[in-house]
Amino acid sequence: MGNAKIPGWILILLFGLGTPVSARYATVLPDSNTAPNYRALHGIFAVQSVVYAGALYGLSSSWYKDPLTNFHVQNDAGAWLQADKFGHVYTAYQISRYSAAIYRQTHISKKQAILYGALSGFIFQTPIELLDGFSKDYGFSPSDMLANLAGSALYAGQLLLWDDLRIHPKFSTRSTPYAALRPELLGRNRMERLLKDYNGQTYWFSVSPKSFFPHSGWPQWLCISVGYGIENMVAGEPSQSVQRGFVPYRQYYLSLDVDLTRISTRNKFVRTLLLLGNAVKIPAPALEFSRKKVKLHPLYF
């Protein structure tokens, strides 16, 4: 419980790099009269599976260094002040979104793409959860699985309810001094710290008021963003951090953001970049609220 698991959101990068075709917006492509190309769909499934399996093998070989043990369950719902659970929601949502955009290119129906995308977002993280169950350092986490399900449901639920994505989970990261205190846990170099140091990770939910109030004068692309982060965590459990002289606390943020998918362009490559880029919160001024302070960040990354 004291160790940081493989952050599920790293699968987004692996998944995206393994995509054999340019992603397009699943939410704006209407159903067409073109017959579904199931051969192409199966090909996409196959390529993604091979790339994912190879990446998973590489990650597991480097991450799970000790021999695997008997399968066991471990309740880590309170670990990292739930920052890792936000990461699971975020990852499942983004993989669902990318998957559906890719699958829509095969001309399957919009509902099929939503369903297959949501299933991908949930299923693609499941093998890591199972590996955790066989690891003596971690254990299978029911709360992680629930967070994975919540992320896929957030994606599919919006499209089924509104036929639109109005709530956009996003991510930002910054450097913190904590990794230098416990490099074996929080990262020995910049890349490891990006993955392991939850103190530097902020998870956001961006919403444009225009989506809910269509007759307002608010720009469709401009979003209000609410963020969540943690501080003073030098161990997986808050009590372990306290024993080391650090009192963990939660941070809440209010900021502005841009919905990149609302930027119109006919260029497929640019559309793909915008689709991928919409997973990241743009740097902007932000208000931080916590039990210790209220602080204005002129530019928060």
Side-chain angles (χ1 to χ4, degrees), residues 28-48:
V28 301
L29 292 178
D31 289 332
S32 67
N33 295 324
T34 305
N37 187 341
Y38 288 109
R39 182 177 180 179
L41 180 64
H42 296 157
I44 292 172
F45 286 155
V47 172
Q48 288 175 343

Side-chain angles (χ1 to χ4, degrees), residues 79-205:
W80 302 108
L81 294 179
Q82 294 81 46
D84 62 322
K85 303 303 178 282
F86 279 90
H88 282 271
V89 171
Y90 169 84
T91 304
Y93 176 92
Q94 299 299 348
I95 292 180
S96 298
R97 185 171 67 97
Y98 294 160
S99 299
I102 295 165
Y103 301 153
R104 282 290 281 144
Q105 294 182 99
T106 65
H107 301 289
I108 61 175
S109 71
K110 185 181 291 187
K111 286 188 176 180
Q112 283 179 302
I114 294 170
L115 175 61
Y116 295 161
L119 287 173
S120 295
F122 178 74
I123 292 173
F124 268 53
Q125 296 192 81
T126 300
I128 285 183
E129 307 302 339
L130 296 177
L131 281 173
D132 285 343
F134 288 101
S135 171
K136 71 179 184 67
D137 292 326
Y138 310 127
F140 178 81
S141 170
S143 56
D144 283 356
M145 291 296 288
L146 286 175
N148 295 340
L149 180 61
S152 294
L154 178 61
Y155 168 78
Q158 291 189 74
L159 291 176
L160 295 176
L161 178 63
W162 300 316
D163 194 28
D164 190 17
L165 295 177
R166 300 181 181 181
I167 304 171
H168 305 278
K170 298 196 176 187
F171 172 80
S172 66
T173 183
R174 57 186 174 83
S175 297
T176 77
Y178 304 103
L181 302 176
R182 296 201 67 191
E184 76 285 357
L185 176 67
L186 302 177
R188 293 181 173 84
N189 53 54
R190 182 173 297 181
M191 180 55 67
E192 285 190 358
R193 291 170 183 174
L194 173 68
L195 302 179
K196 295 182 176 183
D197 187 3
Y198 287 108
N199 297 283
Q201 300 175 14
T202 306
Y203 292 94
W204 303 84
F205 294 90

Side-chain angles (χ1 to χ4, degrees), residues 212-230:
F212 292 95
F213 305 99
H215 300 298
S216 69
W218 190 276
Q220 183 70 64
W221 53 268
L222 185 59
C223 297
I224 296 174
S225 194
V226 177
Y228 177 78
I230 61 174

Side-chain angles (χ1 to χ4, degrees), residues 227-245:
Y228 177 78
I230 61 174
E231 193 78 15
N232 278 358
M233 288 293 289
V234 294
E237 290 294 329
S239 60
Q240 296 171 355
S241 293
V242 172
Q243 291 172 5
R244 293 175 177 270

